[in-house]
Amino acid sequence: MPDESFSNYEQTGLSLSATWNIAHIPLLLDVPDTSSRDRRVLYDLVADSRVKRAFEGLGYNTVQLPSSYPMTRWKDVDASVESFLSPNMVEYSLIARSMMPLVQPLFGRGPADFSFGMHRRALNYQFDRLPEARAEVPEDEPALIFAHIMAPHPPFVFGQDGSPRSSEKRFEFYDGSHWLDLHGWAAGKYPEKYRAQAIYTMERLGEVVDRILEQATRPTVIIVQGDHGPGSGLDWERPRHSNHRERFSIFNGWYLPEEYGVEIPEKMTAIQTFPMLWRTLWGVEVPRLGDSQLIAKWSRPYVFFETRN
């Protein structure tokens, strides 16, 4: 596992678009109006990425376990593993703006406890089903499996041991200064809650990896990688004043069969993931990309400021 790994962007849509297309956003998109907030173009970049098409061209089946975030969903897949009762972001938002946050405290519950419970269920469903996802396609054919897990990202619904947390405010997927603005006096609890949810998430992912390897009947590669880091020091509208090292630092764990005999470099950025993988598996050389780390305002996702860790 690389000791120092970094994302190339601080927002999920930007980060995944660059990683799965092996190119920086300014090279992938022509955005004539830099004041645009329209992120649908990023959805398209992830949904039908260069990497996905390359694997499909080699005969790989595609299986996804998408999260509630719409920009993590592939299109035209061979199998999609998702819970029937998992709301998407729009549905969570509708619940948060209904009467439910006002009613739940009358019964001694937090204002978003119902949504917290659904989110916990969705995350545990992914942890439980991910090891079985390979069974969705023929065993004698190769498969590319993509799971996006919205944890340890807020909202913080798990304690360190997986116990349920009660909500203090309405349910939102806010991070960075948006989370801090919402939680007010509780804002200082972000690092503590993030750490606890991260510990539980990593414990479950360790179980997932063990189960995948126990069941594997063919050479298996596993990459567990964050698309960005924590946001306790992230100011969405003052990106140059943010804690860049915290936000860009990511977990980046690899499992490769011993026969490949490859050492992953100690320092790398996410955009090097698939060039590294293809070089390892097939000896395919992809021209090295710049490791620039670009940050943008939430309100101006296509105006970038460069920073380096």
Side-chain angles (χ1 to χ4, degrees):
M1 183 177 76
D3 291 332
E4 290 190 87
S5 288
F6 303 96
S7 60
N8 296 92
Y9 296 86
E10 91 294 6
Q11 300 181 30
T12 293
L14 298 171
S15 181
L16 292 181
S17 294
T19 299
W20 282 93
N21 288 280
I22 318 179
H24 280 286
I25 302 301
L27 299 177
L28 293 169
L29 294 177
D30 179 18
V31 183
D33 180 10
T34 55
S35 66
S36 173
R37 298 188 182 197
D38 189 349
R39 289 172 167 82
R40 287 175 295 180
V41 289
L42 301 176
Y43 167 83
D44 292 335
L45 284 174
V46 176
D48 189 30
S49 69
R50 292 172 176 175
V51 169
K52 176 176 175 287
R53 292 198 304 270
F55 275 97
E56 288 172 334
L58 292 170
Y60 278 68
N61 292 277
T62 51
V63 182
Q64 66 173 347
L65 288 85
S67 70
S68 301
Y69 196 37
M71 277 186 281
T72 66
R73 181 178 293 274
W74 281 346
K75 65 180 181 181
D76 300 326
V77 294
D78 294 294
S80 187
V81 181
E82 47 192 317
S83 172
F84 175 70
L85 295 176
S86 292
N88 58 36
M89 278 191 165
V90 173
E91 292 163 339
Y92 275 121
S93 181
L94 290 174
I95 294 171
R97 284 152 181 79
S98 70
M99 291 295 293
M100 192 167 289
L102 300 177
V103 171
Q104 289 183 97
L106 300 178
F107 296 91
R109 307 292 298 275
D113 277 10
F114 178 73
S115 294
F116 267 39
M118 288 194 297
H119 189 47
R120 277 192 298 273
R121 182 184 180 279
L123 292 170
N124 280 324
Y125 178 89
Q126 288 183 299
F127 294 135
D128 292 339
R129 291 298 308 278
L130 181 51
E132 317 297 334
R134 181 67 179 79
E136 298 292 324
V137 294
E139 184 179 345
D140 60 345
E141 297 177 7
L144 175 66
I145 301 171
F146 172 42
H148 185 263
I149 297 172
M150 286 283 286
H153 191 288
F156 301 123
V157 299
F158 287 115
Q160 180 174 324
D161 59 356
S163 57
R165 283 191 183 276
S166 181
S167 60
E168 298 167 344
K169 300 289 184 178
R170 70 177 187 270
F171 186 94
E172 300 286 358
F173 285 100
Y174 289 168
D175 201 2
S177 54
H178 295 162
W179 189 93
L180 304 178
D181 290 343
L182 174 65
H183 286 267
W185 67 269
K189 296 182 180 180
Y190 183 108
E192 168 196 333
K193 292 184 175 182
Y194 188 99
R195 186 181 303 110
Q197 189 151 286
I199 289 171
Y200 176 69
T201 299
M202 295 309 299
E203 180 180 332
R204 293 303 311 271
L205 286 174
E207 296 169 356
V208 167
V209 170
D210 288 343
R211 288 176 57 195
I212 290 173
L213 296 178
E214 287 171 3
Q215 301 171 30
T217 58
R218 58 190 300 143
T220 301
V221 174
I222 303 173
I223 302 174
V224 180
Q225 184 179 98
D227 51 63
H228 58 67
S232 70
L234 172 67
D235 188 328
W236 281 118
E237 296 307 313
R238 298 195 305 162
R240 286 177 169 163
H241 295 273
S242 295
N243 184 334
H244 300 144
R245 187 168 185 84
E246 177 196 57
R247 188 61 174 180
F248 283 95
S249 295
I250 58 172
F251 181 86
N252 188 16
W254 291 55
Y255 171 82
L256 291 165
E258 291 183 3
E259 56 262 33
Y260 290 115
V262 173
E263 291 188 9
I264 306 298
E266 291 187 1
K267 185 174 182 177
M268 66 181 295
T269 64
I271 208 169
Q272 301 297 339
T273 299
F274 289 105
M276 177 72 194
L277 182 63
W278 290 345
R279 187 162 55 249
T280 299
L281 297 182
W282 304 303
V284 174
E285 291 292 339
V286 177
R288 183 167 178 81
L289 302 164
D291 284 327
S292 298
Q293 294 165 241
L294 304 177
I295 193 167
K297 297 180 180 180
W298 181 258
S299 61
R300 295 290 185 271
Y302 306 113
V303 178
F304 300 111
F305 304 89
E306 185 168 2
T307 180
R308 282 195 175 274
N309 286 314

